[in-house]
Amino acid sequence: MLDIRILGSGNAGQVPVWGCHCLACVRAKQDASYRRGPCSLEIKTELGITLIDAGLTDLAERYDFDDIQRIVLTHFHMDHVQGLFHLRWSERPEKIPVFRPDDEKGADDLYKHAGVLDFQDPFVPFNNVQFDDFSITPLPLVHSKVTLGYLIEKDNLTVAYLTDTVGLPDSTQAFLSNKQLDYLILDCSEPPTPNAPRNHNDINLALWTYNTLAPKQMILTHISHRLDCWLMEHLDKLPKNMLIARDGMRVI
């Protein structure tokens, strides 16, 4: 079985945003359950833990070295990789494989001084990769850096994790339309806007994707304090099987 949890459900600014006194940020300061760390996912199996993205800066405190089986990156924006800069300095002789999109620059000097991080050859979009405990298919997304979403499959379970993106490329949309998704975890950073945001979905785009792909359950993640403020008044406008991610939330 897969045990999948949302590690972080926030955008780059996280919640609460430093210096902000909006209703969502005040709530998060008063109640830690509403705090949102950098967007990331944990997949636990009997063989170990797979991290999708490494934006949390306390990964060394959360996990022992032997816990982490592999790390899978969606892209190299800092809020998705900053936790790697601490992990790499371990002096253990073993390496941790890090799977990635085809981004020659990476982030800062991670490629040059990788330490225990063993960066693998870039994923090929739509090329299914079979790990020992589940399979994963990288899917192109629409973002300002080369970014991949992932279709995670084991036995009859199908989970799509799509962040960061604004809409979906036609190729990814067509691929997922042929899948029956048990769970769709989708980037949604903004409340409804007159025009689509530049790098992330708003509620309008998220609802369009929900209606198009028809997952059994949808979870919105990469949430900003602006969306949290909107949700405080309009949560009942969302479909019943559309959930809002929370840090530490168990998906399966």
Side-chain angles (χ1 to χ4, degrees):
M1 284 294 296
L2 299 181
D3 184 342
I4 301 179
R5 296 177 187 270
I6 304 286
L7 285 183
S9 60
N11 67 347
Q14 306 178 60
V15 180
V17 175
W18 188 48
C20 182
H21 302 288
C22 73
L23 292 177
C25 288
V26 169
R27 180 181 65 174
K29 292 171 186 175
Q30 296 173 344
D31 184 345
S33 68
Y34 288 102
R35 289 179 174 266
R36 299 189 184 281
C39 192
S40 48
L41 196 72
E42 174 196 270
I43 305 171
K44 184 184 294 185
T45 74
E46 64 278 4
L47 299 180
I49 289 171
T50 298
L51 298 179
I52 297 188
D53 285 337
L56 295 172
T57 56
D58 63 349
L59 293 175
E61 300 170 27
R62 290 172 179 255
Y63 302 105
D64 289 334
F65 186 98
D66 293 326
D67 291 339
I68 300 178
Q69 188 179 15
R70 65 183 71 89
I71 298 171
V72 176
L73 300 179
T74 61
H75 65 300
F76 282 91
H77 273 150
M78 196 58 66
D79 57 312
H80 292 257
V81 300
Q82 58 197 358
L84 299 178
F85 286 88
H86 186 188
L87 298 185
R88 63 176 171 171
W89 298 113
S90 172
E91 296 183 0
R92 289 280 293 268
E94 301 92 343
K95 301 286 187 179
I96 297 176
V98 180
F99 298 87
R100 61 189 177 95
D102 191 2
D103 186 328
E104 295 181 356
K105 293 183 178 180
D108 197 66
D109 63 353
L110 273 176
Y111 287 160
K112 183 177 181 181
H113 300 294
V116 298
L117 305 176
D118 184 14
F119 286 98
Q120 306 293 298
D121 290 338
F123 273 141
V124 177
F126 302 109
N127 184 30
N128 180 267
V129 176
Q130 183 67 55
F131 296 135
D132 291 336
D133 40 4
F134 60 90
S135 71
I136 192 167
T137 304
L139 306 172
L141 298 179
V142 183
H143 201 51
S144 57
K145 261 188 171 293
V146 180
T147 303
L148 295 173
Y150 295 103
L151 182 70
I152 302 153
E153 296 176 285
K154 181 178 176 65
D155 301 326
N156 294 321
L157 178 68
T158 306
V159 181
Y161 186 73
L162 309 177
T163 184
D164 299 26
T165 192
V166 52
L168 296 175
D170 291 342
S171 57
T172 297
Q173 184 79 32
F175 179 86
L176 291 175
S177 293
N178 292 318
K179 299 285 185 177
Q180 176 56 64
L181 298 176
D182 293 299
Y183 298 91
L184 171 56
I185 306 171
L186 181 70
D187 175 302
C188 185
S189 292
E190 303 297 338
T193 57
N195 301 303
R198 174 173 172 263
N199 257 346
H200 300 277
N201 290 326
D202 67 351
I203 285 290
N204 292 330
L205 281 170
L207 287 170
W208 184 88
T209 303
Y210 168 82
N211 290 324
T212 302
L213 296 181
K216 293 180 182 177
Q217 188 167 82
M218 187 159 171
I219 301 172
L220 302 184
T221 192
H222 206 283
I223 293 165
S224 72
H225 66 146
R226 294 177 296 276
L227 179 55
D228 263 339
C229 284
W230 185 86
L231 290 168
M232 291 171 76
E233 296 185 4
H234 303 287
L235 184 59
D236 60 349
K237 293 185 177 180
L238 300 182
K240 291 182 179 180
N241 60 338
M242 182 180 289
L243 304 179
I244 307 303
R246 300 277 284 272
D247 288 18
M249 170 182 171
R250 184 179 182 186
V251 177
I252 304 169

